[in-house]
Amino acid sequence: MVRHVLVVGAGVAGLSAAAALRSSGVAVTLVEAAARIGGRAHTTMIGDHAFDHGASWLHDAERNPLADMAQAAGEPLIDADRVRTRRVLVDGHPATAADLVARATAWERVERVATAAPDDIAFADAIASLRGDPWTATIEAWEAAQIAAACSRDFSVQDWRINALEGRNLIVPGGIGAFVTRRLGPAGGPVQLSTPVTAIDWRGPIRAETKHGTITADACIVTVATGALRGIRFTPGLPIDAEGLPMGLLTKVALRATGPGRLGLSPDLSVSARIARDETMLSLLAWPNGADHVVAFIGGPPAWELSRAGQPATIDFIRGRLRDWFGSEADVALDDATMTDWGQNPWHRGAYAYARPGHWQDRGRLAAPLGGGRLILAGEAYRTDGLAGTVAGAWLDGRRAAGEVA
Ligand SMILES: Cc1cc2nc3c(=O)[nH]c(=O)nc-3n(C[C@H](O)[C@H](O)[C@H](O)COP(=O)(O)OP(=O)(O)OC[C@H]3O[C@@H](n4cnc5c(N)ncnc54)[C@H](O)[C@@H]3O)c2cc1C
């Protein structure tokens, strides 16, 4: 009989697991390494506007439980796909109609070829036959680095297929992190903040070590990112390691901007450029949702390189690219950078997990309850329903783990 469960991590999955357990009458101890809840759902303010460091869209709205919760709570959700417009640059100029047709055709071809490829090869290898097309490198970088935060040469094409997001994308105007803290936090119940778990002994009843002492429980749900699992010593060790599900990285840099119209940008305009193979892809979202900043996104291996080089180097890189796109006016019009750095954060070590070639089934394998249900890993990384890497997946996985443990 499980009476008391330790939940490690108060991100979306941990809050969801704790809420489900408490509502079924199970006692919960919820511990969190950081000094705040929410994990990778984290909003800060830039001036009067919300900036989401992690999740910023409720993807796949039609089957996203957070979208339902936000709607029920009366959040004024915005349909991102309706408000967004796009500009694609080719050799420094806006793409012509013919360029856009060529891009759309190339995209369809990439999807067709990648969909037909054998399961366990890398995304890059799956589309290698399309290298001659001038758009392939751009589409490859978009799908792997920008969306999956992954390296296309190290990213399972089957994992790409399963997790390709569909449906509408909604924006919570006050920020997803703020929404999670405000709406999901209370359901999760009391949290012991600044309490990293360093070791978990699951040979019998759970014994977890923290700097504030040992916590004992009948069972334990560990919701930390796969990159943060290495911060916990498990006894015995986990039967499958998480090396097949490494953390990808997506870095966002927000730059305060002086008024729509400067640089020829309009609110909710997304700008990206055609790139050559191995060139870094940058995308830009101008004045999202009326904010007075633009947000630049870099993902995959270049994001890791820049994360290691540090914040000034990352901001310099982005400023250089924006100067290429908009001329020296970009330096005047965009100032005051705020940068996310999930790569160097010890409680995450990246943005979200992707599967290496040969490892797409690890998501399900790692989710399997251990020790007769005494130990369960949960979180975005373990979804097999196409919602891996999302807050929706994290929420559902917390509930899944709570159901399995109870
Ligand atoms: C840049 C970026 C953009 C994203 N964009 C989107 C998006 O637009 N839409 C979307 O749906 N998703 C997006 N995501 C993904 C989404 O944020 C995550 O999938 C989700 O928040 C993960 O929740 P989780 O509970 O599984 O993990 P986490 O949020 O990582 O929660 C785990 C918690 O465990 C804590 N922890 C770690 N180690 C320990 C320890 N040893 N002891 C105790 N506590 C510990 C951490 O501090 C953390 O709070 C994005 C993520 C990033 C980083």
Side-chain angles (χ1 to χ4, degrees):
M1 174 78 181
V2 173
R3 291 200 178 82
H4 176 209
V5 176
L6 169 65
V7 177
V8 182
V12 172
L15 293 171
S16 155
L21 288 166
R22 287 191 214 276
S23 72
S24 56
V26 176
V28 174
T29 300
L30 175 56
V31 295
E32 166 55 51
R36 60 168 181 82
I37 64 168
R40 286 169 276 168
H42 179 46
T43 308
T44 61
M45 298 303 285
I46 300 182
D48 294 334
H49 300 280
F51 172 59
D52 271 316
H53 291 239
S56 47
W57 290 281
L58 294 176
H59 297 301
D60 241 329
E62 292 74 6
R63 59 175 185 140
N64 188 325
L66 273 73
D68 296 340
M69 287 180 234
Q71 249 142 13
E75 295 282 340
L77 299 176
I78 295 169
D79 187 331
D81 308 306
R82 283 234 177 106
V83 295
R84 185 178 303 177
T85 52
R86 284 182 200 284
R87 181 186 302 163
V88 180
L89 302 172
V90 176
D91 301 331
H93 302 286
T96 62
D99 289 329
L100 293 177
V101 170
R103 175 176 174 271
T105 310
W107 214 304
E108 275 168 28
R109 209 176 295 129
V110 166
E111 287 184 345
R112 200 168 51 244
V113 169
T115 301
D119 281 358
D120 262 343
I121 62 172
F123 185 77
D125 294 335
I127 60 168
S129 62
L130 305 177
R131 283 279 170 266
D133 188 299
W135 285 100
T136 298
T138 308
I139 297 162
E140 179 176 346
W142 189 271
E143 295 288 341
Q146 289 266 315
I147 303 291
C151 169
S152 65
R153 296 180 179 88
D154 187 37
F155 173 35
S156 155
V157 71
Q158 173 68 351
D159 201 51
W160 169 80
R161 285 196 288 247
I162 292 172
N163 292 299
L165 289 167
E166 286 162 8
R168 290 183 310 144
N169 300 292
L170 302 179
I171 301 169
V172 184
I176 289 188
F179 169 73
V180 165
T181 305
R182 196 173 60 247
R183 300 277 177 191
L184 311 189
V191 185
Q192 295 180 25
L193 295 174
S194 306
T195 306
V197 168
T198 51
I200 296 174
D201 185 332
W202 54 285
R203 285 174 293 190
I206 298 296
R207 289 179 62 81
E209 304 302 330
T210 76
K211 65 181 177 189
H212 302 305
T214 304
I215 300 169
T216 55
D218 300 319
C220 177
I221 297 176
V222 177
T223 69
V224 312
T226 59
L229 278 174
R230 76 181 78 137
I232 302 175
R233 183 167 40 81
F234 290 92
T235 308
L238 298 176
I240 311 171
D241 66 37
E243 298 301 309
L245 300 179
M247 297 296 285
L249 187 58
L250 181 68
T251 295
K252 303 186 200 178
V253 176
L255 295 150
R256 286 289 283 272
T258 48
R262 281 188 85 165
L263 308 179
L265 299 172
S266 52
D268 297 299
L269 175 73
S270 153
V271 186
S272 61
R274 188 172 75 185
I275 57 168
R277 190 151 164 77
D278 291 329
E279 202 182 326
T280 297
M281 166 160 282
L282 178 83
S283 70
L284 188 77
L285 190 53
W287 297 285
N289 184 35
D292 64 349
H293 54 260
V294 302
V295 185
F297 298 78
I298 297 183
W304 279 113
E305 254 172 59
L306 288 166
S307 166
R308 284 187 284 270
Q311 183 153 338
T314 308
I315 292 168
D316 271 3
F317 173 84
I318 287 171
R319 284 196 172 287
R321 190 59 76 83
L322 296 180
R323 224 173 282 129
D324 292 345
W325 286 1
F326 304 115
S328 54
E329 173 74 356
D331 286 329
V332 186
L334 304 172
D335 54 27
D336 249 11
T338 304
M339 179 182 145
T340 67
D341 200 358
W342 298 99
Q344 303 305 315
N345 183 320
W347 312 126
H348 303 281
R349 303 245 177 243
Y352 35 91
Y354 64 94
R356 292 201 152 117
H359 290 275
W360 62 273
Q361 288 166 312
D362 286 8
R363 295 190 186 275
R365 286 187 187 126
L366 278 150
L370 300 168
R374 277 199 309 283
L375 178 66
I376 301 186
L377 302 185
E380 58 85 9
Y382 310 109
R383 292 313 289 177
T384 54
D385 57 357
L387 291 171
T390 68
V391 286
W395 177 263
L396 290 169
D397 216 52
R399 294 196 87 81
R400 187 257 322 159
E404 285 176 343
V405 90

